Amino acid sequence: MTAWLLVAPMLLPVLAAGVSFTLSGSRAAQQLLGVVVLTLVLADSVALLMMAERDGPTAATLGGWPAPLGITLLADRLSALLLMVSVAVALAVLVFSIGQGFADSGRSSPFAFHPAYLLLTGGICQAYLAGDLFNLFVAFEMMLTSSYVLITLGAGSGRIRAGMTYTITSLASSLLFLTTIALCYAATGTVNLADLSQKMENVPGGLVSALSVLLLVVFGIKAAAVPLHFWLPDSYPTAPAPITAVFAALLTKVGVYAMVRTQTLLFPREETWTLLAVAAILTLLLGVLGAVAQDDINRLLSFVLVSHIGFMLFGLALFDVPGLTGTVLYTVHHIAVQAGLFLVAGIVVRLAGTASLKRLARAAPPPPVVAGLFLIPALSLAGIPPTSGFVAKFVLLQAGGEHGGAVPALIAAALVTSLLTLYAMARLWRAVFSAGPERPPPSRYPGNALILGAAAGIVLTGVGIAVGAGELGRISERAAHDLLERDGYREAVLGEEAG
Amino acid sequence: MTTLDLVMALVVGGLFAAGFYLLLDRSLMRVLLGVIVLGHAANLLLLLTGGPPGMPPVVSDGDEAERYADPLPQAMALTAIVITFGITTLLLALVHRAWQLDGHDEVRDDVEDRRIGTVEDREESGPPLPTDRDHEPGGGSGR
Amino acid sequence: MLALFALHAVVAAFLPWLAARAPRAAWYVAALPPLAAVGWAGWHTSAVLDGRTLNETLSWAPALNLTIELRLDPLSLLMVYVVSGVGALVLLYCARYLPGAGREAALLLLFAGVMFGLVTADQLIALYVFWELTSVISFLLISGRSEGSDHRRAAEQALLTTAAGGLAMLFGFILLGAEAGTYRVSELVADPPSGGLTWLAATLILLGAFAKSAQIPFSAWLPAAMVAPTPVSAYLHAAAMVKAGVYLVARLTPALEGVGPWRPAVLAVGLTTMVVAAWRALRQNDLKLLIAYGTVSELGMLIALLGAGTRTSALAGEEMLLAHAAFKSSLFLTVGVVEKTTGTRDLTRLSGVGRRLPLLAVAASVSAASMAGLPPLVGYLGKEAAFDGLWHAPFAGGAWAVAGMALGSLLTVAYSARFVWGAFARKPGVPETEPGPAAFGLLWPICLLAAAAPVLGVWYAGTARLVEPYADTPGLLVGEGHAYAVKLWHGVTAPLLLSVTMIVLGLVLHQARLPVERVRQRMPRLPDSQRGYDLTVHGVDHAATWLTRHTQVGSLPFYLTVLLVTVIVVPGGTLLSHSPEWPEVVGWHSPIQLPLSIVVLTALGGLVMARHRLTAVLLVGAVGYGVAGLFLVQGAPDLALTQFLVETLTLVVFVLVLRRLPSNFTPERPSSRGRLLRAGVALAAGGCVAYFAVSATAAGNSLELSETIVERAPETGAYNAVNALLVDFRALDTLGEISVLLVTAIGAGSLLGYRSSRRQWPTGRRDGSRAARAFRGIHWDVPREPWLPESDELPRRDRSLLLEVVVRALFPAVLVLSVYLLFAGHYRPGGGFAGGLVAGQAFTLRYLVGRRAEAAFPLPITPRAVAGGGLALAALVALAPLAFGQPPLYSASFELAIPLLGDLKVVTNVFFDLGVYLLVLGVCLKLLFALAQARDAGDTLVPYHERPRGVRG
Amino acid sequence: MTDVVLDVVSAVLILAGAGFCLLSGIGLVRFPDTVSRLHAASKAQTLGVLLVVLGAVLQTPAGKAPSLLLIALFSLLTAPVTGHIVARIAYRTDAVERRRVVLDELATRLVDEHSPDDRRRDGGEPDDRRPDDREPPSPR
Amino acid sequence: MTTVANIALVLVSLAGLLAVGRLAAGPGALDRVVALDALVTLTVVGAVLGTLARSDTTTGYVLVVLSLLGFVGSIASARLIERREDMR
Amino acid sequence: MTGRRARLRQRANTVLWLWVLWLLLWGGVRPVPLVGGLLVAVGVVALFGLPPVHRPRLRRPLRLLGLIGTLLTELVTSSVLVAWEAVSKGPKVPTGIVEVPLRSDSELLMASTALLSLMVPGSLVLEMDRERRLLYIHALPVRGRADAERRRQEVAAVERRLARAFAEQPNDGQPNDAAAGSAGTGGGA
Ligand code: NA
Ligand code: NA
């Protein structure tokens, strides 16, 4: 049964995508199928989390072939947690896009959105559960290729240009990933992660370090860590709000997840600390300063996204239980919050007809409910207590507080970033929610219940993360523990003789 | 275990170098060619990691397993080839669409990045800039 | 305590709803929770003062050190009286002042609740939580709902300043917590940390307190925040929020007064602020700004007193804190009434208001007197203690402190006088103001607050009982055996004389305001913290735009160059630095690799030089075929087969797209410097990868897995180990891969499917030889027979009898070949992919001859259904074992005994492969259909290079 | 004995086939125009494949030979088609070095046929002209 | 036999190099098409020789596909060249 | 023969060809491929069948084999010729374009003639004129009229022998004369 729970998050969306593609004639059927399947996957992910929480890392090999012969899927606390939050967000975004009518409006190809979206979700799920480096690559490709399609769907000129930037950079990263897999295989003769983590111990140290760093670069591109981030602010903002939301919330996080997974499992003795710390500081500061410099609401949020990847690198750089706990929590929180903000930004842009802060400042403010929906994730992003952002950030800072050396610099960068994020959010608030000279207030909200409901759902997810910080904190801490104690993972995959 | 031979190292390096060179171009078509070449490079490398040339891994009775070429990199490379093919067609469609819309398939610089001027033209002051972006989903083309 | 906090929040949630229905009653309801808090505090007062503290805990996330610990001790008690008492009165005042403002009511009440939480928090992180919440609520209150940009900026400034301080403070808390091993305040005070980074923690915490309490240089936000409605200012900026910093200092002084920078910083900043802000208050004409500066000044004094770390100064600080809350909020509320009744707060336009509003004038004067420190008011009690405490200070620098305090008092007296004079006095030359009637509902809260001054002053014993327990905290210094008692009369002491002197001098200063103003005009300007704030923000903006402009340049080649350089420098550098020696390499393993390598490298060389698209496409095809050859040499016929098929299909798709593109690349040629750089980076990256490859293969992998695969492949029914991997061992990869293929077909179909095209490359021109031209009109080679029915759609000169005949013969053969490959994959090179690709090529062939793939595919199912169905079939085969209690992707094998044929072995993974086949075929068809569609759409357009310059952009 | 004969025959066939391949390569490089080079390229496609495959067939067990025969069959079927189509297009696009053409009966015929421009002037055969044959409007 | 096959391989390889030379040199696009087509055929010949040299019996089926479909790309490219004078 | 029967016969022929192909691919006649091949062949023809065309029947297969044998010898000799031209003349090789009139009106025969003559090195079919039944052959080397005439005869011979093998009667026993006026007139453009 474990195997079924593990494989369903990928198989169901893939099956549904196939069916959805053939169903292209019927929009309603596609919509229903999408929502039903993602709901099922959400339920599945909850079950996985409960299982992982109870039993620790749980693996299944497919087709009845033992690892490393067959492909291993594995859920531990980290992957199940991220899976659950990601699927929840994906579901909410799907509802949002159905409400917004985006899913229907690709004029040339109304059939394209749903299958692509389902495959995107399937790829994301698979990436979290993959216990095999090459399978992870395939999952990435599913996810990324779907994203190439989604970002260029219904495309005008600007989006094509942005799509080029996004696609080409991602492709470069994918090709590097494939190359790295080849190198890992060359050195070890396996691509199974658990097997790799054992065989990597026999590989000469210099090569291991280099492979570790190479993987960092590969996933750093996907995660948009500085200086590999440039593509993100140039591409995400042009996509429609739900697409941007799901990209921002999920794709970069999968990169972070892969980084955490591989670094902890394969290269535990590597001294990547300095590199990661430097990358974290640069990411935090360059990202947030970029946000401060923007005049476009979506670009601003994209830069904030880049910046906050730095927080996740922060915890990974510490490479201890408190630090990784922080990374886990921050990732979980950021998924919900960033998605929520992009969705609300989408509503704002839709209402005002512009994304420029300058022009938004002149426009009439959106209704208070939108302000409320904006405020909570915005404060969360800035790490203002008692939001989820604060919880996650606090855990990271606290983890950093235990270290000496150069860590205070990291903490200082994180604090400056928090402050500048707040500044950026305040600028947004000022532009969007102040009454400009164009006075006429919107008499009636032109959206519908689905849009607001979906946005509210995501925002409430963020609130839930803050409220449930106790339980989440416990899970995250154990997840971090599992990450550093690799024996659990190896035993789950390779059986008792591993270790 | 033998190392990669010099000739193959040269080919792999050459494929990567040429691929990267093309990837750095502004012409989307050249970039696409670069992606294809890099795909070849990665696949070849993957295959070469399986060791020196061997018999095709089609099992027949009485053969020793060592005689065969390593099948795993082959399977992985095959998967990667198909993926690269898919992406190639997608990019080609993108080239086509770019040309359809703009009359060129050049990867132009992002205009929004140019728009970051100075602090003085922040939202507090200065005349509003006209926006050329369409935020309506699906809109923008062909109208 | 938690219940009280919850009460605030719950009531606040209902206020907007209530206010819309009962504008005034909403405020009365709003006042209930703070009143309940005051009542609750009253109930527990004696117990708490006797040392029995109340504790409550809310477990939020204990694993993360996030617990809300609340504790009512004497200092908290004092603060509860201040924040809840004043809060209740302000809310009641608002019933008249801001009826129906539901949002403000909710926020103010919430604020009261948060302040209540803040002053009772016994855990640093909980304290920080409430602390930041006050900042946020103050931001929302100041900015208003849809006010102008000055409100927004003021709110933003307040938020940023206090949040910046808050963050510093949080850092300090974390360092302190790490040092002490606890975040509990009571434990910290009981066992103060001292070593390590405690000094840094203390400094950072002070930064937070200074920012929150508007100390120089962070003071600018408070005067700016005066744009808020007056009751908001009265509460936030007199009684509550700004007191948070003071409270924090008071809270931690017992623990940290001994830490290096604490006392000097507190005294220097506090007293400087006291003097400078008071000096500024003296020149304000806006009554509200006047008391705002006054507030800053008073806060400086409070910080200095409560941070000085002696028992007497703590007493003084507590007295003053109590006094200040009462008099300053009453004065703010007074300004509110004045403004509401007269329409102005400008003291140069007010005259004779005192006569018209006598009750207000009296109440305000009493408050002002308390502010000035006149006996027998509570302000006097505090100031006496302050002078005494500093006079007998058990630490160095006490004399400076006394001087600062004295100067500050002098100025305080002067601006107090200026306030009373400005608001109420008749001024020669100013027309008498005609204020409207002031509702009693506005006046009585002011009177009540004003009355607190004499009551607390005269009933000093009660006041002392309230303030002494904190001052007796063990951490505070008791100077020279001198136990100061709170009394109105201590006899004629040096502090008394000092106090009297300052009052007199202060009044003199007020009288001499005109000459003083002239002196001030000639003095150099003091550094302005507002200007400092503006410069900082501006600097950040500038730095941000500069940095972003120079990094986020928008150029994809630049980004990719950075990426490659990163790869070269970081992983490449790591490898080089670890293993400098080159491993032993052989020249080649198989001589046939040599010519193939030359083919590949030559084609590559041509490719990077090519300027024509078609040339490049053909060369990249050659590279692909060469690589396929290398695959064959390597012993990978499956791979070579797929590579070859893919290469051919790619070439076809390329060509079909190229029909509509210009022949040369755009842009034609990059700059030579750029090219050189690119070449350098690319060569370095290529070399880097090659070096990696050699090093990694030299590491020597284990052959264990590959041997297992070969040995166990027959168990899957597939003797071709590669096929066994694809359809069984690693079928999940295959499923993912065909998903990718499907989605690319979706994307390509959607991108090619636009009918908007205005652009098509013109076909044929008028040049060429006469013979060549002639062929445009000649169509000799048109078969009569319907060899391929769709080809009569073609331009007739494109037809070819030979081609049609051969394709007619080959088309079914190719399909048969594809089916063969599908089934042969188990035993030979082939499989679903190869089969599907070959089938796709059958239709490609028909498309090339007839330009209509639809005609070749006469079945009633669409390519979409073929592709989607293929994916669904593969996924279903993966799911099917569920019905039989087997793991996912399990492949069953059956022996079927069929008459005549003998035993037939069926392995279910064949159906998986069939799904792959169908999907690949469907994808190919989809592509062909989309390409056909794209071709048909649109008409002629002027090509890019021939358009006028301006249009190209 | 037969084995030796078989070996010798197949060696001769193979070497001859490979030799023709090489010669075709030389022709491909040395011939003056596209159509002539096409002649050379056809050599590899027909004779080279044929001889080498035949040589290989002699060395292969009977069960595996059919695949080789199919190679020969398909090569013989498809190569001429490519040759024809490419040659036709080469001629139509002037990829013929006319200085080396001593005799061109096709050109003679073409001269006899009236040119398309003339025909259009005459208004002849409008029905034969498909949309794709239209001349593009000149760029404005 | 292996020797014969190897000698033949050398000859075919030389032919392949000449073909790739033509492919790189052009000058016309049609020349490149011809060269590419020749290259594919030479690959088939070379592969047949290779299987002979290694007595590998599985690769032959790959070459069937190659010989059957090798001309698809050439025809597609040639057709393009006919339509687009600027691509010659 | 009715249309339906012709259709059936042609389809049966196609099925046969596909069946043989299948068996060749599997490399032997064993029960499973035999049945499977028939199924596949019938399936392909049923799903993707093409309209019937006029196809002359192959009456004398041995003649066809003989023709192919002759062609093979010709193949070798002319290959040597072309190869020699490549090595010796190279860039200076003289070529010619020769018009060949055909007798048969069967499209299959015309195509087969073209195909077979294409296999002979040194000749490429440049154009086909279906209506006038003409082939234009680019031949190499062609030094003059005589060479051209020889080529014309060679191709005509191929057609003749094909027609005999297929027992197809040429329309009028004479080369069609539509091109007679221009045939033989030389001169390049
Ligand atoms: Na590491
Ligand atoms: Na606005």
Side-chain angles (χ1 to χ4, degrees), chain A residues 49-298:
Chain A
L49 180 59
M50 283 161 59
M51 188 183 76
E53 178 57 16
R54 197 188 60 217
D55 306 336
T58 313
T61 46
L62 302 180
W65 304 107
L69 184 57
I71 289 179
T72 306
L73 296 181
L74 182 135
D76 60 358
R77 294 182 178 92
L78 172 66
S79 50
L81 185 60
L82 290 179
L83 179 70
M84 189 183 76
V85 181
S86 301
V87 175
V89 167
L91 178 60
V93 171
L94 179 64
V95 173
F96 185 97
S97 48
I98 289 174
Q100 201 199 37
F102 172 73
D104 311 332
S105 71
R107 282 174 308 148
S108 75
S109 44
F111 57 82
F113 175 82
H114 284 282
Y117 192 83
L118 281 168
L119 289 177
L120 177 83
T121 319
I124 290 168
C125 295
Q126 182 64 12
Y128 286 132
L129 298 174
D132 183 290
L133 200 56
F134 190 74
N135 194 241
L136 182 64
F137 168 76
V138 174
F140 262 106
E141 288 309 303
M142 272 177 78
M143 170 179 104
L144 292 173
T145 315
S146 312
S147 72
Y148 306 153
V149 172
L150 288 172
I151 207 171
T152 51
L153 211 58
S157 186
R159 205 176 294 156
I160 288 288
R161 198 214 59 75
M164 286 179 190
T165 304
Y166 173 70
T167 308
I168 293 164
T169 318
S170 299
L171 278 176
S173 135
S174 293
L175 289 163
L176 272 180
F177 189 9
L178 189 60
T179 309
T180 312
I181 291 174
L183 296 171
C184 285
Y185 185 81
T188 61
T190 185
V191 285
N192 182 290
L193 282 175
D195 205 17
L196 263 176
S197 88
Q198 287 188 335
K199 299 223 165 94
M200 206 53 98
E201 285 166 9
N202 307 325
V203 175
L207 186 59
V208 174
S209 305
L211 287 176
S212 153
V213 180
L214 196 54
L215 271 178
L216 271 185
V217 172
V218 166
F219 297 130
I221 300 170
K222 316 238 177 193
V226 172
L228 310 167
H229 70 290
F230 296 113
W231 56 274
L232 192 147
D234 283 0
S235 56
Y236 280 7
T238 45
I243 300 299
T244 314
V246 79
F247 283 16
L250 302 184
L251 300 197
T252 47
K253 303 310 177 299
V254 177
V256 171
Y257 165 79
M259 209 184 259
V260 171
R261 173 65 78 209
T262 51
Q263 291 301 316
T264 54
L265 187 60
L266 307 185
F267 309 108
R269 61 200 165 80
E270 284 310 304
E271 287 297 323
T272 42
W273 190 94
T274 332
L275 183 70
L276 272 172
V278 172
I281 291 178
L282 286 178
T283 307
L284 285 166
L285 294 180
L286 210 62
V288 82
L289 285 172
V292 166
Q294 300 305 313
D295 178 57
D296 176 299
I297 182 166
N298 284 323

Side-chain angles (χ1 to χ4, degrees), chain A residues 359-366 430-436:
Chain A
R359 291 169 59 108
L360 278 167
R362 302 176 61 80
R430 191 195 322 159
V432 173
F433 296 100
S434 67

Side-chain angles (χ1 to χ4, degrees), chain A residues 157 185 234 299 427 430, chain B residues 70 102 113 121-122 124:
Chain A
S157 186
Y185 185 81
D234 283 0
R299 290 179 69 85
R427 276 190 63 215
R430 191 195 322 159
Chain B
D70 190 348
D102 303 332
D113 285 326
D121 34 84
R122 299 288 284 252
E124 290 85 10

Side-chain angles (χ1 to χ4, degrees), chain B residues 51 59 96 100-101 103 105 117, chain C residues 549 634 660 666 719 759 944:
Chain B
V59 187
H96 180 262
Q100 220 179 26
L101 285 169
D105 64 328
Chain C
R549 215 175 37 240
Q634 200 68 19
R660 304 168 47 79
T666 48
Y719 293 86
R759 300 166 203 274
Y944 173 63

Side-chain angles (χ1 to χ4, degrees), chain C residues 723-911:
Chain C
N723 198 253
L725 280 164
L726 289 176
V727 299
D728 212 319
F729 297 138
R730 300 188 67 92
L732 197 67
D733 281 347
T734 308
L735 198 58
E737 166 201 357
I738 59 177
S739 306
V740 170
L741 210 51
L742 180 78
V743 90
T744 57
I746 294 173
S750 131
L751 283 169
L752 292 171
Y754 284 94
R755 297 206 148 262
S756 67
S757 168
R758 309 170 299 264
R759 300 166 203 274
Q760 190 169 32
W761 198 260
T763 52
R765 286 188 217 150
R766 283 191 197 77
D767 47 355
S769 73
R770 194 177 158 78
R773 266 184 290 138
F775 275 104
R776 290 198 195 102
I778 285 177
H779 37 83
W780 292 334
D781 199 0
V782 182
R784 286 184 197 153
E785 305 268 351
W787 294 99
L788 297 173
E790 69 271 18
S791 54
D792 59 356
E793 299 263 325
L794 279 183
R796 305 183 74 187
R797 68 186 162 107
D798 281 359
R799 297 191 64 179
S800 158
L801 171 62
L802 184 60
L803 186 62
E804 289 179 26
V805 170
V806 170
V807 168
R808 180 177 167 114
L810 290 184
F811 172 73
V814 179
L815 283 178
V816 166
L817 182 62
S818 79
V819 179
Y820 159 78
L821 285 172
L822 167 65
F823 289 110
H826 272 42
Y827 315 100
R828 292 168 188 167
F833 279 121
L837 285 169
V838 168
Q841 306 237 7
F843 294 97
T844 310
L845 206 49
R846 291 281 292 272
Y847 177 82
L848 284 178
V849 178
R851 299 253 177 107
R852 267 179 57 216
E854 302 96 308
F857 191 74
L859 305 185
I861 40 174
T862 60
R864 276 215 302 275
V866 177
L871 185 63
L873 173 63
L876 275 177
V877 172
L879 279 169
L882 179 62
F884 305 97
Q886 296 289 351
L889 291 149
Y890 176 81
S891 173
S893 72
F894 310 95
E895 294 272 352
L896 294 180
I898 299 173
L900 299 177
L901 296 183
D903 285 348
L904 184 62
K905 192 177 176 195
V906 178
V907 192
T908 51
N909 58 30
V910 167
F911 296 101

